[in-house]
Amino acid sequence: FLSLVAEFCCGFFVILILGNFWFLAVLYLLWLYLDWQTPCAGGRRSQWVRSWTVWKYFREYFPIHLIKTSELNPNHNYLLGFHPHGVLVAGAFGNFCTDPTFKNLFPGLTPYLHIMPIWFGCPFFREYIMSAGMVSASKESVSYVLNNEGGGHASIIVIGGAEESLNAHPGSLTLNILKRKGFIKMALKHGAHLVPVFSFGENELFKQVANPKGSWLRNVQEKLQKIMGFALPLFHARGVFQYSFGLIPYRQPIHTVVGSPIPVKQNLNPTNEEIDQLHALYLQKLKKLFEEHKSSYGIPEHKSLIFE
């Protein structure tokens, strides 16, 4: 989804260069140079963009729901770990990049969805994603958000990253998380409370071509992901007027459940042992959140999360 919009924006930029409006392209490049660090400094959100009526229809299409299980005190900063990545990350976008869902449930908190820095190098597209409340997933960017002295900031990080999108098959409950501990270290260094988030239905929006680990397709996808920085899952869903094939996601409900916060005491120089301990506690809380809610959202009792 992001790729298609980004390609359109890049194409428009090329037209400016090749056409009679090359001077506008030059002015924009100057602006890009001067504004390069903004995605790492809180971005530039627009309440107008976040409130577009189209997002209401976007949320209602699936539909997308945000479920609150505990209060989040706006006097603290939070790091929300979002799972799973899925193909579209619809739950993360619909709940944290559009209004008014999040602010109604968690008043006083400002959400920042962290995405790969590569997207902010795309002309024009970067302006759009920043206006929706997206910022870079770099360490510098996460630190900027979590350094807010008065609290009230919530960093949302899709922990599994692009690699996890390759596991986004209907019914899949595999999360890439065992080796991902950078977010734990950031939470410790800034004293940000950790909050596990599980989005039920995220993997049901598309059907992906079979790509088991070790297959030639998976090997190619993983190599391309390392080179380009983002994954290329081969997927399909429904069309506009038929349900057999197309790129429009299936109408499957998404329930994004926000768990209870894990209090974190600031530690500027955490040891590997301290990071591992908090990581283990986070996995425990994430699994508990999933087990408590899975029966409400169509997950069979015998199914459980798989951590890789």
Side-chain angles (χ1 to χ4, degrees):
F1 176 73
L2 286 178
S3 299
L4 292 174
V5 180
E7 287 174 7
F8 174 81
C9 293
C10 288
F12 179 71
F13 184 71
V14 171
I15 291 174
L16 287 181
I17 295 176
L18 299 180
N20 296 324
F21 303 98
W22 59 267
F23 62 94
L24 293 178
V26 172
L27 288 176
Y28 183 80
L29 286 175
L30 176 61
W31 161 256
L32 194 63
Y33 173 77
L34 296 174
D35 194 56
W36 190 254
Q37 290 300 317
T38 300
C40 295
R44 187 170 46 247
R45 70 180 55 223
S46 166
Q47 192 63 38
W48 175 66
V49 172
R50 289 173 59 88
S51 301
W52 281 351
T53 303
V54 66
W55 304 137
K56 176 178 179 289
Y57 295 119
F58 174 80
R59 293 192 302 268
E60 292 177 350
Y61 171 80
F62 297 97
I64 296 174
H65 304 279
L66 187 66
I67 291 86
K68 174 182 178 179
T69 64
S70 178
E71 295 292 339
L72 297 183
N73 190 331
N75 293 325
H76 298 296
N77 292 317
Y78 298 89
L79 195 159
L80 279 63
F82 184 92
H83 313 270
H85 184 287
V87 172
L88 187 62
V89 205
F93 178 82
N95 287 312
F96 305 121
C97 294
T98 69
D99 285 332
T101 306
F102 185 85
K103 70 178 184 181
N104 285 347
L105 286 179
F106 301 101
L109 284 182
T110 302
Y112 295 82
L113 179 60
H114 296 271
I115 64 174
M116 290 183 297
I118 188 173
W119 296 116
F120 296 97
C122 179
F124 301 117
F125 181 65
R126 70 188 296 273
E127 318 303 334
Y128 158 66
I129 56 179
M130 278 197 290
S131 67
M134 298 184 216
V135 292
S136 172
S138 66
K139 292 180 181 179
E140 177 187 1
S141 177
V142 177
S143 292
Y144 184 93
V145 173
L146 297 181
N147 265 338
N148 193 41
E149 292 185 1
H153 280 189
S155 281
I156 297 97
I157 301 177
V158 184
I159 305 300
E163 182 182 356
E164 194 173 84
S165 67
L166 300 178
N167 289 329
H169 297 272
S172 174
L173 296 172
T174 301
L175 303 181
N176 292 62
I177 192 172
L178 291 181
K179 296 181 180 179
R180 296 179 181 265
K181 301 179 181 180
F183 73 104
I184 298 291
K185 187 174 182 179
M186 294 299 292
L188 281 166
K189 292 184 70 172
H190 297 284
H193 295 353
L194 280 168
V195 182
V197 178
F198 195 87
S199 195
F200 292 89
E202 200 74 44
N203 285 339
E204 318 305 314
L205 307 185
F206 296 94
K207 292 180 179 178
Q208 191 172 168
V209 174
N211 60 342
K213 288 194 173 183
S215 65
W216 69 269
L217 176 58
R218 185 61 167 257
N219 291 336
V220 170
Q221 288 175 320
E222 290 176 345
K223 289 180 180 178
L224 289 175
Q225 189 260 324
K226 291 179 180 179
I227 294 172
M228 300 184 298
F230 57 89
L232 292 174
L234 298 179
F235 60 89
H236 70 88
R238 54 163 290 186
V240 178
F241 301 110
Q242 45 78 30
Y243 292 85
S244 58
F245 190 82
L247 295 179
I248 298 176
Y250 293 115
R251 298 191 69 176
Q252 296 290 338
I254 298 172
H255 295 87
T256 303
V257 184
V258 180
S260 300
I262 303 170
V264 177
K265 185 177 180 180
Q266 187 173 25
N267 184 347
L268 296 177
N269 296 293
T271 64
N272 289 336
E273 182 180 359
E274 290 169 329
I275 293 173
D276 289 343
Q277 288 177 350
L278 184 55
H279 186 261
L281 177 60
Y282 179 85
L283 293 183
Q284 177 185 332
K285 295 296 185 180
L286 174 59
K287 185 174 183 179
K288 181 181 178 183
L289 178 71
F290 174 81
E291 292 294 331
E292 288 178 347
H293 294 273
K294 67 180 184 181
S295 60
S296 299
Y297 305 118
I299 306 296
E301 189 62 32
H302 68 278
K303 291 266 191 173
S304 296
L305 292 179
I306 301 172
F307 296 143
E308 289 187 346

